[in-house]
Amino acid sequence: MLPAAHRLRRSVDFERAVRRGVRAGRSTVVVHLSEDLEGDARPQVGFVVSKAVGNAVHRNLVKRRLRAATAVRLDMLPDHGRAVVRALPGS
């Protein structure tokens, strides 16, 4: 499980990470990564799973899997790092 201190919650933080960050993607996910020196020194991750991914059960399954996958990789993110993981319909 991803600790609460490492999760993005405010829409302003999501917007900053998407607009200022570097984007990388595959056929199933897109990741926006930025460094925000104004915030906490710990990395934070947010998730975006739209209704295009599937019904509510499938979307929640995708979110749980993404949270679990990023929880084990938090140490790979830089300090002050903000990442937004966006699931695409192929996920």
Side-chain angles (χ1 to χ4, degrees):
M1 186 64 159
L2 190 63
H6 293 281
R7 294 183 59 192
L8 286 177
R9 291 190 177 87
R10 299 182 324 163
S11 62
V12 174
D13 295 333
F14 276 86
E15 186 177 338
R16 268 193 212 140
V18 170
R19 291 192 181 200
R20 296 182 186 173
V22 177
R23 185 178 80 146
R26 296 280 185 241
S27 62
T28 56
V29 294
V30 175
V31 178
H32 300 269
L33 178 64
S34 70
E35 284 196 59
D36 188 9
L37 300 177
E38 299 170 4
D40 294 337
R42 58 183 164 239
Q44 292 183 323
V45 182
F47 303 96
V48 177
V49 182
S50 74
K51 288 185 177 182
V53 173
N55 63 14
V57 174
H58 187 71
R59 287 194 308 272
N60 287 327
L61 175 67
V62 169
K63 282 188 274 189
R64 283 194 305 270
R65 287 180 177 173
L66 288 174
R67 278 196 300 265
T70 56
V72 296
R73 291 173 179 81
L74 271 177
D75 58 340
M76 298 173 73
L77 289 174
D79 290 341
H80 300 285
R82 304 290 183 261
V84 173
V85 180
R86 185 167 42 102
L88 298 176
S91 62

